[in-house]
Amino acid sequence: MTWVQDEGFTADAPFGPQTLPYGVVDGQLAVRVGNQALPLRPIAHEFGALADVVSADSLNPLLAAGCPAWTEVRARLTELTTALSAPRGATLLPIDDAVLPFTVADYVDFYSSKYHAENAGRIFRPKDEPLLPNWLHLPVGYHGRAGTVVVSGTPVVRPNGQRRSKDGPVFGPSQKLDIEAEVGFVCGGPVTSRVSTSAAADHVFGVVLVNDWSARDIQGWEAQPLGPFLGKSFATSISAWVTPLDAFSAARVHTPAHKLLDYLVEDAPWGLDLVLEVDWNGTVVSRPRFADMYYSFAQQLAHMTVNGATVRPGDLFASGTVSGPNRDQLGCFLEMSWGGRDKITLAGGEQRTFLEDDDTVRITATAPGPNGSVVGLAEVAGTVSPALP
Ligand code: MN
């Protein structure tokens, strides 16, 4: 029993006391307790020397404060939210108005599901080996567009662009608008480079869900030889709540064993046993397993910084589309429809290959928490609006 009166604040619910994700509500840093938010500014006096950090209007100062501060604030929040009586000044607010909880610095997207990479290879290059030779040796990725990372709930305007046709390139609304269900990692701590796999967790504050919206027709025409560009950069949606990495202590698993160069070898298991759920207009079409990823976030961060590139607070990197071996574990519609060949049937009989205007996609995820509890990632949702004229 705690002073927090919320039916979602229990160990068997995704946002119970074992989770405590951070967001911004009413212009203040807040922590989610079930289906409500506890703003931290009114109770900042409970945080001693970290009062200024938790009084902020975003997560940025806490990201910059570094790993020891993250642990201290989370421990204090656990005490405060599970106490019998409320701390002085505490109020609970609704969580309806989502805003981006931090300023996205740089954004990198990886491609670290072997199932997804093989499927995409078979669809795009049916005559060739599905994996290119580098894939088994390094986490392939690209730099995305930080300025168009948007919070869950933001409408996604169908992009216009160039695509291939029999008679040469044509311009217009994408006809193959897709999703990519991914897991994103929010960085913090001191600006540094050459982060080892064993130090990676000190530079990753928390985890969000990511929908890397993708216009397959624009992508297919523009992407040779330098990779994704306008087919991806129009919008990337993330959860409004960042779940601390510390909440996943019971969800750690080894990534599949494989031989890698030394700087990518891990001492500790840093895969995460998350199961995602992809809901398309109210029909669950897939449950991808994040534990099946070939590279962990620690390997991705080590690779991203091994050349001397720095990581700084607010950097976001995403896993790549999370797909598993089975038909009901695929993380994008390109794979589910096999390049548009097969129809996907939704509840009510609607059929789809790619997204139509007014379609809504919601991605959620849970992981095992301590003592049989469940840890949630806040949903990332978006509805497609028609292309601009
Ligand atoms: Mn992606």
Side-chain angles (χ1 to χ4, degrees), residues 107 109-111 116 142 180 182 212 214 232 318-321:
Y107 166 52
D109 193 28
F110 285 96
Y111 187 58
H116 172 71
Y142 67 95
E180 292 190 340
E182 306 194 17
D212 177 24
S214 297
K232 302 266 193 181
S319 60
T321 309

Side-chain angles (χ1 to χ4, degrees), residues 272-357:
L272 295 176
D273 185 16
L274 280 163
V275 178
L276 281 61
E277 191 167 280
V278 180
D279 178 302
W280 195 350
N281 292 349
T283 302
V284 175
V285 291
S286 177
R287 289 191 174 86
R289 280 163 36 95
F290 193 64
D292 290 331
M293 298 300 277
Y294 198 85
Y295 294 103
S296 70
F297 79 83
Q299 291 168 322
Q300 291 170 333
L301 184 56
H303 185 66
M304 216 165 91
T305 58
V306 74
N307 65 342
T310 48
V311 58
R312 57 179 164 157
D315 280 1
L316 170 71
F317 63 97
S319 60
T321 309
V322 183
S323 288
N326 301 331
R327 179 81 203 235
D328 59 357
Q329 297 174 324
L330 301 174
C332 68
F333 304 148
L334 175 81
E335 288 171 88
M336 289 182 213
S337 71
W338 206 256
R341 185 191 71 188
D342 304 334
K343 293 265 196 287
I344 300 153
T345 303
L346 306 180
E350 293 173 291
Q351 293 202 309
R352 292 285 189 279
T353 49
F354 293 100
L355 288 158
E356 296 190 5
D357 290 347

